[in-house]
Amino acid sequence: DIVCDRLFAYSHAFLVREGHPALAAKPDIAALKACGQVTSNLRAGALANPEKVKLGELINVRHVCLVNRIGSIPPIVAGSDLVGIVPDFYARMIAKQYGLRIVQPRRPLEGQQMFLIWHQKFVDDPAHIWLREVIQAGVQTAIAGIQRQFQEGR
């Protein structure tokens, strides 16, 4: 009796520091895999999202550092030769602030989705309706702002 409403879908991107010695040119996936990665903790149970566990299997990475907060990834990448794996929209928001370069793999790491989930008994509850509308509007506003910044080259 769970209701799901998809908020948005996203892909993943790699963050590397400017001047990374092994990734100076446009790196291919093999070069990125050869470097150690820092990413969100993908262990089953650490995050209740089986799609994220599948992501780790899909790209066959060598995790050197697992973090519990995505905000920990950019400063670690900026101060090391590790490669960060983050959602593409987050990479676009944060890369310039930390002097990082975004590397999109030739084959996009797609398939991640963000859902708004609630129990069926709250479908007609006015407070829940209001909250869902606020969340949906906020997400759409944030996505539009990120897309606008990306188009403007910020």
Side-chain angles (χ1 to χ4, degrees):
D1 295 354
I2 300 295
V3 179
C4 298
D5 187 15
R6 187 179 85 118
L7 292 173
F8 62 94
Y10 61 96
S11 298
H12 280 83
F14 295 96
L15 285 176
V16 300
R17 73 174 171 81
E18 288 291 348
H20 189 294
L23 304 172
K26 186 171 180 173
D28 61 9
I29 196 77
L32 290 163
K33 284 182 181 181
C35 297
Q37 288 89 27
V38 55
T39 189
S40 297
N41 193 341
L42 300 176
R43 284 182 301 112
L47 297 172
N49 183 347
E51 299 255 345
K52 291 188 191 258
V53 174
K54 282 197 273 184
L55 172 69
E57 296 166 0
L58 173 69
I59 57 178
N60 192 23
V61 296
R62 183 172 62 92
H63 297 146
V64 173
C65 182
L66 299 174
V67 297
N68 291 324
R69 294 177 187 226
I70 195 169
S72 301
I73 295 173
I76 292 170
V77 171
S80 71
D81 287 339
L82 296 175
V83 174
I85 303 172
V86 297
D88 58 351
F89 63 87
Y90 182 71
R92 290 192 302 263
M93 284 188 334
I94 205 77
K96 190 174 184 179
Q97 179 180 341
Y98 285 92
L100 303 174
R101 186 165 51 108
I102 300 170
V103 178
Q104 294 285 355
R106 288 189 187 119
R107 183 177 130 217
L109 304 175
E110 298 174 334
Q112 301 298 304
Q113 298 186 49
M114 188 66 63
F115 289 92
L116 187 58
I117 301 171
W118 64 95
H119 193 276
Q120 177 70 35
K121 70 181 179 182
F122 296 113
V123 167
D124 296 322
D125 182 287
H128 281 262
I129 291 170
W130 172 83
L131 182 59
R132 291 191 303 267
E133 289 172 353
V134 167
I135 291 170
Q136 290 164 336
V139 166
Q140 294 308 314
T141 300
I143 289 170
I146 291 166
Q147 289 171 339
R148 197 170 34 256
Q149 286 179 349
F150 187 65
Q151 291 168 350
E152 293 171 2
R154 289 187 198 165

